[in-house]
């Protein structure tokens, strides 16, 4: 049985000009594997991730024909049941630790909060949190534990974020552009940490990014999204066999080291792809 | 009708006037959807109309009453809708005439304080350096004084009276506008179009007056509108303390002070002018709130 | 990386911040002194006449004129006045014939007590109301809080005071009327701190405590309402800002209960700018009680000031203005420094 089943997922926001559908009938299923979702900004990839966690922001509405996680129907879950799932069995790493960590709470307290919320004792939560900081290769866990987020660099912050989201050993982890806000050199390091944690603990991972190459090197399968729809699903190893012109366009945009290209290719967009 | 509307909402205005009127019309359409703000707008409109037509609207003389027959009549007496005061004067007529004083205070303070604030703020922001330091330090000093106390001290020094009250309130009112205008100027100062104007040889005065002031204006106007309620309350407070308009002027604050002495038995004498002050300053607050939502680009998402 | 030098650098920044704040305050305070002094000089009241009386001979008048130093240049007069002010000498009140500093020390506790009870009421109701309005943005609760705030902004406080007295004292007889305490209770306790609630409670004079409370509750509630209007509005806007932040989503992803997200995570962040708002409201209460004190015959600084004004007792007016101005400046500085101390993010940015 698959871990996550999504069928005909739709996210709609009311606007003055009438409802705007930002996710328009996305379907996929996920086992304990690494699935990448690629698309440009506004393609609905992030909203797909949030909808799975039931975190579509206020006026937005999520509907789906099927949205089940490990046999649990997520569509009509109460607030209490959601809290039991979030943080414990499914969680999400967000883009920029500068914004996604609470600025006035010490890092350790924020880490412990996950475990405390789900019933761990204070001592147990502390011990596990410190161990987790070590697992994301933080050399001085005790000091980072007491630090405030603004005292950490971006790479450190993102490792803390990952630690926080993995500490309760969830079955499903969604990573929404987890390295986009980081320097390139640190990106690889953070990705390696993420990769190892996911592999070791056998989690299902949804990796959301705009970076096709990054996603294909990191995931088993790739969904390409455009204007709220999945336009193509591929095995990462068969990327070069992409059929859809949008995916080909994305691939074409990647710079090649042995090629001098002039003029630079532009990404064509066809209105019919959105249909 | 639809023709005018289309002309106003056109995507391609052919003249500057059309563009400007169209902008105003769009702002108005936006503003009209805000019920509370419209309510405030109507109150302020009513105040202006009542002030203009006071002599025709007031059923009785505001200053002279009939001491023998009409002293302290309760509200809803025949011919005296809101009752009369201790000198037999019709309270409604006094309120109607008093609206002129209230409007005059608000208008004069706005006319005096806004240009001063704009001038100080834009000059400080545009020139920077020691000019900025001196002007802003001055602004901070005035801001450091509690408003009512400073106004009290000035009125005490200048002598009681409505003119001096207006001057005193104006003196306390300009610093926030100067700060606001300075902040806006700082964001505009280094933009390319100012540099372009400079290259064309425009003088500093011209740049400030023609390019910077118009851009600061809308946020300052919002701030002034929001302050008007406060100005009305301060003026009424001065009147209440006997430092504003002098008797027998029908100033609302002074009327409350007059009614205070027989509050228990003749409650309406002090209550009615208070309601008038409350209504008008609520109107300005609602209007200012609505204007801020519509005009302030930083609040629009 | 966690920086080793961070602590040291932050300490230096903190010192520099204090130094610059103190510098600003010094300049502002000097301006305050100059303005006050100048107001005192343009008054149409003749200071000599108020000393010697209007039956004095020309010789007596001239002697007093010189004794007051009025024949010297304005700058020198200012210098002399400045020295006196720094020694706590604001001159003598014509009205009470006591030194003004003494008068102010006597009436200040009444104002302090009123303002303190008011700010407690304003904060205790204003912050939860603002939080509630932000959480239910656009809903009925939000509208109600908004209207309650606007009414507070729009109503003249002296009128509200009169209406309150009329209703709760004269008609319903639920509270005590004007003044701080009834004469029958006045000798049940000794005013040590001048804060009567504190004095009566410490001396166990509970009858008097009840009486003092029934006097202070109405004026304090009214002033509290005014600061509530401001505090709830600011709380709402700070909370809306915080609730839209990404760390709130993080907390939801973690499964943190909603009440904890609102009252612990978001409010703790909103609290940083709120401290400034509360401090400013407090300063405003200390000065804004002038009208309230007049209405409630509250023997505080505000009433002292208006009494002096109405009796053209200029020394007292200027002394009072200076003291209130100084408190205002002081509280402003305090809130500014507190903000820097509390807000990790401003430290990070500098």
């Amino acid at each position: 049985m698959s871990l996550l089943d999504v069928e005909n997922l739709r996210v709609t926001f009311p606007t003055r000009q009438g409802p705007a559908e930002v996710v328009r009938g996305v379907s996929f299923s996920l086992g304990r594997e690494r699935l990448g979702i690629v698309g440009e900004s506004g393609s609905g990839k992030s909203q797909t991730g949030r909808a799975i966690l039931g975190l579509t922001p206020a006026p937005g509405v999520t509907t789906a024909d099927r949205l089940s996680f490990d046999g649990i129907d997520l569509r009509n879950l109460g607030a209490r049941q959601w809290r039991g799932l979030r943080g414990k069995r499914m969680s999400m790493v967000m883009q920029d630790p500068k914004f996604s960590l609470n600025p006035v709470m010490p890092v350790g307290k924020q880490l412990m909060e996950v475990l405390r919320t789900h019933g761990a004792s204070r001592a147990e939560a502390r011990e596990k949190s410190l161990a987790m900081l070590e697992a994301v290769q933080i050399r001085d866990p005790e000091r980072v534990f007491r630090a405030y987020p603004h005292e950490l660099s971006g790479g450190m912050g993102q490792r803390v974020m990952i630690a926080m989201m993995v500490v309760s050993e969830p079955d499903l982890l969604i990573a929404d552009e987890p390295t986009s806000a980081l320097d390139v050199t640190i990106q690889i390091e953070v990705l390696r940490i993420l990769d190892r944690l996911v592999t070791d603990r056998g989690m299902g991972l949804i990796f959301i990014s705009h970076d096709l190459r990054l996603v294909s090197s990191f995931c088993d399968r790739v969904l390409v999204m455009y204007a709220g729809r999945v336009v193509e699903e591929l095995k990462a190893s068969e990327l070069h066999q992409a059929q859809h012109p949008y995916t080909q366009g994305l691939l074409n945009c990647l710079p090649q080291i042995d090629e001098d290209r002039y003029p630079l290719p532009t990404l064509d967009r066809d209105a019919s792809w959105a249909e | 009708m639809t023709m005018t509307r289309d002309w106003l909402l056109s995507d391609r205005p052919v003249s500057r006037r059309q563009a400007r009127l169209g902008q105003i019309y769009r702002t108005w359409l936006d503003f009209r959807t805000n019920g509370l703000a419209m309510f405030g707008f109507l109150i302020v409109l009513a105040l202006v109309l009542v002030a203009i037509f006071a002599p025709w609207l007031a059923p009785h003389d505001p200053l002279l009453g009939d001491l023998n027959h009409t002293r302290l009549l309760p509200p809803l007496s025949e011919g005296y809708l809101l009752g009369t005061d201790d000198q037999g004067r019709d309270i409604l007529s006094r309120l109607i005439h008093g609206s002129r004083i209230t409007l005059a205070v608000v208008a004069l303070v706005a006319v005096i304080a806004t240009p001063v604030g704009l001038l100080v703020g834009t000059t400080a922001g545009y020139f920077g350096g020691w000019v900025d330091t001196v002007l802003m330090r001055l602004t901070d000093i005035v801001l450091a004084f509690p408003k009512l106390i400073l106004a009290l001290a000035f009125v005490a020094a200048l002598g009681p009276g409505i003119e001096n009250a207006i001057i005193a309130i104006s003196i306390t009112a300009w610093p926030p506008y100067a700060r606001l205008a300075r902040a806006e100027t700082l964001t505009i100062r280094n933009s390319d179009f100012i540099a372009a104007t400079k290259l064309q040889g425009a003088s500093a005065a011209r740049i400030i007056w023609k390019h910077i002031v118009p851009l600061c204006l809308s946020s300052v106007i919002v701030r002034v509108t929001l302050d008007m309620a406060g100005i009305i309350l301060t003026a009424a407070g001065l009147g209440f303390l006997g430092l504003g308009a002098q008797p027998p002027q029908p100033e609302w604050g002074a009327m409350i002070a007059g009614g205070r002495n027989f509050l228990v038995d003749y409650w309406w004498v002090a209550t009615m002018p208070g309601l008038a002050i409350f209504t008008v300053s609520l109107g300005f607050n609602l209007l200012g709130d609505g204007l801020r939502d519509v005009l302030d680009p930083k609040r629009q998402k | 990386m966690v920086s080793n030098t961070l602590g040291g650098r932050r300490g230096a920044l903190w010192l520099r911040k204090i130094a610059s704040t103190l510098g600003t305050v010094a300049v502002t305070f000097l301006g305050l002194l100059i303005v006050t002094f100048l107001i005192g000089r343009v008054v149409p009241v003749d200071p000599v006449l108020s000393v010697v009386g209007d039956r004095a001979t020309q010789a007596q008048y001239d002697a007093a004129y010189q004794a007051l130093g009025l024949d010297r240049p304005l700058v020198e007069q200012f210098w002399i006045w400045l020295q006196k002010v720094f020694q706590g000498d604001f001159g003598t009140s014509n009205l009470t014939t006591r030194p003004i500093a003494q008068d102010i020390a006597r009436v200040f506790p009444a104002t302090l007590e009123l303002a303190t009870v008011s700010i407690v009421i304003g904060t205790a109701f204003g912050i939860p109301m603002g939080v509630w309005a932000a959480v239910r943005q656009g809903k009925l609760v939000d509208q109600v809080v908004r209207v309650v705030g606007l009414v507070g902004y729009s109503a003249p406080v002296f009128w509200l005071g009169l209406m309150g007295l009329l209703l709760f004292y004269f008609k319903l007889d639920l509270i005590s009327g004007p003044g701080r305490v009834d004469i029958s209770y006045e000798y049940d306790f000794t005013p040590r701190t001048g804060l009567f609630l504190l004095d009566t409670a410490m001396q166990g004079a509970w009858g008097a405590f009840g009486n003092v409370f029934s006097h202070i509750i109405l004026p304090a509630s009214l002033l509290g309402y005014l600061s509530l209007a401001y505090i709830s509005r600011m709380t709402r806007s700070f909370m809306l800002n915080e609730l839209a932040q990404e760390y709130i989503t993080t907390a939801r992803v973690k499964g943190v209960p909603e009440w904890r997200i609102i009252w612990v995570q978001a409010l703790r962040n909103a609290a940083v700018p709120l401290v400034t708002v509360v401090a400013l409201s407090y300063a405003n209460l200390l000065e804004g009680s002038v009208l309230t004190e007049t209405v409630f015959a509250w023997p505080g600084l505000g009433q002292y000031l208006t009494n002096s004004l109405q009796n053209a007792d200029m020394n007292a007016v200027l002394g009072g203005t200076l003291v209130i101005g100084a408190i205002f400046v002081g509280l402003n500085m305090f809130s500014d420094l507190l903000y820097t101390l509390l807000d990790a993010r401003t430290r990070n940015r500098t």
Side-chain angles (χ1 to χ4, degrees):
Chain A
M1 196 179 81
S2 58
L3 186 62
L4 181 73
D5 270 308
V6 181
E7 224 175 278
N8 195 20
L9 177 74
R10 288 169 187 276
V11 178
T12 318
F13 286 89
T15 67
R16 258 189 215 177
Q17 286 83 35
E21 223 174 19
V22 296
V23 177
R24 311 187 304 159
V26 167
S27 306
F28 63 90
S29 68
L30 177 83
R32 294 191 182 269
E33 58 178 330
R34 288 170 294 188
L35 174 72
I37 301 183
V38 194
E40 57 192 10
S41 342
S43 61
K45 56 189 194 303
S46 285
Q47 288 306 333
T48 304
R50 286 180 192 221
I52 293 166
L53 282 169
L55 289 172
T56 301
V61 179
T62 308
T63 58
D65 290 348
R66 191 174 150 79
L67 188 60
S68 72
F69 168 75
D70 203 13
I72 305 163
D73 189 351
L74 299 177
R75 285 175 304 175
N76 299 306
L77 238 45
R80 177 184 292 270
Q81 292 151 310
W82 265 123
R83 284 205 304 274
L85 282 180
R86 288 187 204 135
K88 193 175 172 67
R89 302 205 53 202
M90 54 209 298
S91 62
M92 175 162 75
V93 174
M94 275 168 296
Q95 184 167 352
D96 193 341
K98 260 211 294 299
F99 302 113
S100 52
L101 293 173
N102 189 335
V104 299
M105 243 170 138
V107 162
K109 224 177 154 192
Q110 297 189 51
L111 258 165
M112 280 169 64
E113 200 180 21
V114 187
L115 299 161
R116 297 278 291 152
T117 301
H118 297 105
S121 74
R122 188 172 289 275
E124 187 189 349
R126 192 185 148 81
E127 193 186 331
K128 272 195 177 171
S129 300
L130 281 168
M132 196 63 227
L133 283 177
E134 218 155 341
V136 293
Q137 294 174 19
I138 284 173
R139 259 168 293 158
D140 194 349
E142 287 280 353
R143 193 165 68 177
V144 169
F145 196 82
R146 282 190 310 270
Y148 284 90
H150 73 267
E151 294 170 318
L152 305 177
S153 66
M156 281 287 251
Q158 199 61 317
R159 285 190 226 183
V160 168
M161 185 72 193
I162 291 171
M164 193 156 79
M165 289 308 168
V166 177
V167 68
S168 55
E169 312 205 344
D171 301 299
L172 170 66
L173 181 69
I174 298 172
D176 188 356
E177 306 261 9
T179 57
S180 305
L182 306 178
D183 289 344
V184 183
T185 45
I186 302 164
Q187 278 187 9
I188 299 163
E189 218 176 302
V190 169
L191 277 178
R192 205 175 291 139
I193 292 167
L194 191 63
D195 186 33
R196 228 200 35 232
L197 287 171
V198 169
T199 318
D200 287 359
R201 293 167 201 226
M203 289 183 241
L205 174 77
I206 298 178
F207 189 92
I208 300 170
S209 175
H210 61 274
D211 189 336
L212 184 57
R213 194 166 42 173
L214 186 72
V215 168
S216 58
S217 68
F218 190 64
C219 298
D220 310 315
R221 264 191 314 146
V222 180
L223 297 180
V224 181
M225 277 186 80
Y226 179 77
R229 287 178 183 273
V230 176
V231 293
E232 186 152 29
E233 186 177 340
L234 287 164
K235 278 200 174 134
S237 52
E238 295 164 5
L239 205 62
H240 53 276
Q241 294 173 6
Q243 301 293 312
H244 197 275
Y246 179 68
T247 318
Q248 288 171 345
L250 283 179
L251 282 168
N252 241 336
C253 285
L254 300 175
Q256 313 268 307
I257 219 155
D258 50 356
E259 217 180 341
D260 185 15
R261 282 200 290 184
Y262 183 85
L264 282 171
T266 48
L267 194 55
D268 285 324
R269 290 179 176 81
D270 194 318
S272 66
W273 301 347
E275 294 308 311
Chain B
M1 202 54 213
T2 46
M3 283 258 294
T4 333
R5 194 183 142 87
D6 288 344
W7 183 77
L8 284 167
L9 291 178
S10 163
D11 286 340
R12 298 188 187 80
V14 289
S15 68
R16 226 149 89 171
R17 195 167 64 102
Q18 187 184 357
R20 194 168 295 169
L21 288 175
Q23 183 61 42
I24 293 171
Y25 184 65
R26 265 180 221 123
T27 309
W28 166 248
L29 286 184
D30 218 7
F31 182 80
R32 225 175 43 179
T33 58
N34 185 342
L36 280 175
M38 273 308 279
F39 183 58
F41 175 72
L42 290 179
I43 292 176
V44 173
L45 191 70
L47 172 78
V48 174
L49 292 177
V50 167
I52 292 174
F53 298 109
W56 294 278
L57 286 172
H60 297 274
D61 190 300
L63 304 180
L64 279 175
D66 182 348
L67 280 171
N68 295 324
H69 300 101
T70 63
R71 278 192 78 223
L72 297 167
L73 293 176
L76 302 177
S77 303
E78 211 182 325
Y80 301 92
L81 189 63
L82 301 182
T84 58
D85 65 8
D86 57 323
Q87 306 200 26
R89 296 172 297 199
D90 176 35
I91 292 178
L92 178 63
S93 300
R94 282 176 70 69
L95 289 183
I96 289 174
H97 280 270
S99 67
R100 293 188 150 187
I101 299 178
T102 301
L103 197 64
V105 169
V106 169
L108 284 171
V109 169
V111 166
I112 298 170
T114 314
V116 173
L118 268 175
L119 190 70
V120 171
T122 49
T123 310
Y126 183 75
F127 289 106
W130 66 267
V131 178
D132 186 28
T133 310
V134 170
L135 287 176
M136 280 302 116
R137 194 50 60 230
L138 189 73
T139 310
D140 284 347
I141 289 168
V142 182
L143 265 182
F145 272 100
K147 269 191 169 184
L148 185 65
I149 307 282
L150 184 60
L152 278 179
F154 270 107
V155 175
L158 300 168
I162 189 73
E163 302 85 0
N164 290 343
I166 290 171
I167 294 171
I169 296 172
S170 303
I171 289 172
T172 62
W174 65 267
Y177 312 147
R179 273 203 171 174
L180 192 60
R182 175 177 174 270
E184 298 265 317
T185 308
L186 286 179
T187 62
I188 304 165
R189 184 175 67 174
N190 295 323
S191 58
D192 289 339
F193 80 95
I194 294 291
T197 320
K198 258 189 212 162
L199 283 175
Q200 287 168 7
S203 68
R206 191 184 157 79
I207 292 175
I208 290 177
W209 186 247
K210 279 275 174 187
H211 297 278
I212 294 179
V213 166
L215 286 172
C216 300
L217 212 54
S218 71
S219 53
V220 171
I221 285 177
V222 171
R223 183 66 209 256
V224 171
T225 317
L226 277 173
D227 276 2
M228 286 197 170
I231 292 167
I232 291 172
L233 293 182
T234 310
L238 288 174
F240 179 73
L241 294 175
L243 297 167
Q246 296 299 299
Q249 288 299 315
E251 198 274 323
W252 296 346
M255 285 170 72
I256 297 178
R260 187 183 170 187
N261 301 328
F262 19 86
L263 182 67
V264 185
D265 299 315
Y266 311 103
W267 54 269
W268 58 90
V269 186
T271 305
M272 297 306 173
L275 280 176
I277 298 171
F278 170 66
T279 310
V280 170
S281 76
L282 184 66
F284 274 109
N285 271 330
L286 292 173
L287 176 66
D289 240 28
L291 277 183
R292 182 173 55 188
D293 289 348
V294 179
L295 284 181
D296 192 348
K298 284 177 219 97
R299 293 192 139 232
Q300 284 168 8
K301 292 237 170 110
Chain C
M1 290 280 118
V2 178
S3 156
N4 285 325
T5 57
L6 216 75
R9 208 174 68 216
R10 195 193 304 156
L13 272 172
W14 179 228
L15 273 181
R16 210 185 315 152
K17 170 80 188 165
I18 290 179
S20 89
T21 309
L22 283 180
T24 311
V25 166
V27 175
T28 311
F29 200 72
L30 187 68
L32 196 78
L33 287 163
I34 294 173
V35 173
T36 316
F37 173 76
L38 288 180
I39 291 175
R41 297 300 123 161
V42 296
V43 189
V45 181
D46 189 335
V48 184
L49 276 187
S50 57
V51 173
V52 296
D54 49 6
R55 295 202 182 154
T57 62
Q58 186 63 38
Q60 281 174 314
Y61 184 93
D62 290 342
Y65 190 79
Q66 275 179 16
L68 286 171
L70 293 174
D71 53 339
R72 304 197 200 156
L74 208 58
V75 180
E76 207 180 316
Q77 286 187 38
F78 178 63
W79 178 241
I80 294 168
W81 181 76
L82 203 60
Q83 285 175 319
K84 282 192 182 163
V85 165
F86 274 105
Q87 288 159 14
D89 178 7
F90 300 102
T92 308
S93 161
N94 300 330
L95 200 63
T96 63
T97 69
R98 270 187 300 248
I100 284 159
Q102 231 176 64
D103 274 352
I104 289 176
R106 188 172 45 86
V107 297
F108 185 68
T111 299
L112 184 68
E113 182 167 39
L114 183 57
T116 308
V117 177
S118 305
I119 199 71
V120 169
I121 293 174
T123 313
F125 288 92
I127 290 181
M129 275 171 70
V131 171
W132 201 18
V135 172
R136 298 233 166 278
Q137 188 195 5
K139 304 273 170 53
L140 186 68
V141 177
D142 189 20
Q143 300 293 343
V144 169
V145 169
R146 186 182 154 111
V147 169
V148 165
L150 276 173
V151 169
Y153 270 111
S154 308
V157 60
F158 51 95
W159 177 71
L160 280 185
L162 288 176
M163 294 298 113
L165 276 178
L166 179 64
L167 185 64
F168 296 112
Y169 174 57
F170 291 116
K171 300 286 181 205
L172 300 176
D173 199 22
L174 285 174
I175 55 156
S176 300
R180 289 184 83 185
V181 60
D182 287 343
I183 298 175
S184 49
Y185 288 101
E186 206 169 333
Y187 300 100
D188 290 1
F189 66 101
T190 15
R192 283 213 187 88
T193 59
L195 307 172
F196 286 1
L197 283 175
L198 208 62
D199 284 330
T200 49
M202 283 191 322
Q203 289 160 36
W206 295 111
F209 179 86
N211 186 258
V212 169
F213 183 79
S214 76
H215 273 279
I216 203 172
I217 187 68
L218 183 58
S221 299
L222 284 179
L223 286 173
Y225 178 38
L226 298 196
S227 43
L228 171 153
Y230 181 52
I231 290 173
S232 68
R233 187 187 187 121
M234 298 312 279
T235 307
R236 175 183 180 275
S237 97
F238 294 150
M239 280 298 285
L240 281 180
N241 185 32
E242 293 304 330
L243 287 173
Q245 300 293 322
E246 192 81 338
Y247 71 83
I248 296 294
T249 312
T250 307
R252 295 210 172 108
V253 169
K254 280 154 72 175
V256 176
E258 200 64 13
W259 65 265
R260 216 182 129 81
I261 291 178
I262 294 161
W263 295 96
V264 180
Q265 298 245 17
L267 189 59
R268 201 177 289 176
N269 277 281
V272 175
L274 262 182
V275 168
T276 318
V277 167
V278 172
L280 281 181
S281 313
Y282 194 47
N284 275 319
L285 282 175
L286 286 172
E287 67 117 348
S289 51
V290 172
L291 292 163
T292 316
E293 288 185 5
T294 311
V295 169
F296 287 93
W298 194 263
L301 201 50
Q303 207 202 19
Y304 180 72
L305 210 60
T306 28
N307 270 341
S308 314
L309 260 173
Q310 277 153 358
N311 292 289
D313 189 352
M314 220 43 211
N315 278 344
V317 173
L318 295 184
T321 307
L322 206 54
V323 169
I324 293 179
I327 292 170
F328 205 67
V329 174
L331 275 174
N332 266 314
M333 177 190 75
F334 173 73
S335 72
D336 207 26
L337 288 177
L338 206 58
Y339 182 84
T340 325
L341 184 69
L342 282 179
D343 190 18
R345 285 161 298 180
T346 50
R347 278 181 274 159
N348 194 26
R349 261 187 236 121
T350 41

